[in-house]
Amino acid sequence: MYCLPSIIHQKATSPIFLQRVLNTLLFTISHSLKEKSMSFSMSTSQVHASNSPPPNPQSQQIQTQESQNPEEIDYSGRAQWLRAAVLGANDGLVSVASLMIGVGAVNRSSRAMIVSGLAGLVAGACSMAIGEFVSVYTQYDIELAQMKREKEDKEAGLTKEEKENLPSPIQAAGASALAFASGALLPLLAGAFIHSWEIRLAVVCVVTTLALAGFGAAGAILGGANAKKSAVRVLLGGWVAMAISYGVLRLFALTLHESSSL
């Protein structure tokens, strides 16, 4: 028979028993480390919470208002291209309509009005394109020279981002010509298929009036201004131009008729 100490000694020296004891020790150490880390993190968060300043009611109100209110639109960024588009379309509309009405005051033929309107469209679009090209190219040269003066390395060329920020004369010329032609097509198409002189003049005037009001209101809405005031302003300007064109050429026709009859 084995004695009790020898049995305990054999179990203590066995590999299975040693492995169980080692696992128990490792589990106890890891558990105690986790508890210490959790207590440390809780104490740290409490310190940060105690050191942080109290919330400002005014700043919370501002943040709430910013989250509730939608982002406001910067209408000033649209001013340049909006001005060019509305100005070009309005010029084409008023120029061709006044030209057709003025020619109609002298000649009742529909062909004369259509030819004069088409000539005004082509000539006006080319004039607007060339004028815009020269103007924007001058601005391009000025900005390019200024950017070169501001560069530290005078011999280095411009980067791609710097070149993209420069205005494009070709794009400006094309946009201006397209806007003018779009406005000029309205009175030209309105009077192209009407044979009666009185009805033709009336249709051209009505279409031009509606288009003037529409251009004025559209430009104001896109720019964030008063649509009614803008429409009335553009409309009055177009009426004055058409009335002057008709009156001057009608007076010229009457004067020429009287002089030829003498």
Side-chain angles (χ1 to χ4, degrees):
M1 294 181 65
Y2 292 100
C3 62
L4 183 62
S6 62
I7 296 173
I8 296 174
H9 177 74
Q10 290 178 358
K11 290 184 177 180
T13 55
S14 64
I16 298 175
F17 180 79
L18 291 176
Q19 186 176 2
R20 289 179 179 177
V21 172
L22 182 60
N23 291 336
T24 305
L25 290 174
L26 290 176
F27 176 78
T28 305
I29 293 172
S30 62
H31 185 67
S32 61
L33 288 176
K34 286 182 180 179
E35 289 180 351
K36 289 182 180 180
S37 62
M38 290 176 64
S39 61
F40 177 76
S41 62
M42 291 176 63
S43 61
T44 305
S45 62
Q46 291 177 358
V47 170
H48 284 298
S50 61
N51 293 332
S52 61
N56 190 1
Q58 185 176 4
S59 63
Q60 289 181 353
Q61 184 178 4
I62 294 174
Q63 292 177 357
T64 305
Q65 292 177 355
E66 289 179 354
S67 61
Q68 292 178 355
N69 296 331
E71 185 178 357
E72 295 183 356
I73 301 174
D74 185 13
Y75 291 102
S76 61
R78 301 178 177 180
Q80 186 174 3
W81 67 263
L82 184 61
R83 175 185 173 275
V86 174
L87 181 62
N90 187 68
D91 283 349
L93 179 64
V94 175
S95 299
V96 173
S98 301
L99 183 60
M100 293 177 66
I101 291 173
V103 172
V106 179
N107 193 334
R108 292 174 174 262
S109 172
S110 61
R111 181 178 297 179
M113 287 185 64
I114 295 172
V115 171
S116 63
L118 183 60
L121 187 154
V122 175
C126 293
S127 177
M128 290 286 291
I130 294 172
E132 194 72 15
F133 180 82
V134 173
S135 175
V136 176
Y137 216 113
T138 302
Q139 180 184 357
Y140 174 86
D141 291 337
I142 293 173
E143 293 185 8
L144 182 62
Q146 181 65 27
M147 292 173 66
K148 288 183 178 180
R149 284 193 295 268
E150 293 176 353
K151 289 182 72 68
E152 297 180 356
D153 189 3
K154 302 298 181 181
E155 297 181 356
L158 297 179
T159 61
K160 184 178 180 180
E161 290 76 10
E162 291 174 339
K163 291 180 179 179
E164 290 177 353
N165 292 328
L166 292 173
S168 175
I170 297 178
Q171 290 182 358
S176 181
L178 182 60
F180 185 93
S182 299
L185 277 174
L186 296 177
L188 182 61
L189 294 177
F193 305 101
I194 300 175
H195 297 285
S196 175
W197 176 76
E198 293 84 0
I199 298 177
R200 189 187 318 123
L201 285 181
V203 170
V204 170
C205 291
V206 170
V207 171
T208 304
T209 298
L210 294 176
L212 286 171
F215 286 157
I221 292 173
L222 292 175
N226 192 321
K228 185 176 180 180
K229 290 183 179 180
S230 178
V232 171
R233 182 170 56 249
V234 174
L235 189 58
L236 291 177
W239 280 352
V240 170
M242 291 187 293
I244 291 175
S245 300
Y246 181 85
V248 170
L249 287 176
R250 186 64 180 173
L251 182 61
F252 175 76
L254 294 175
T255 304
L256 186 62
H257 178 72
E258 290 179 359
S259 62
S260 62
S261 61
L262 294 177

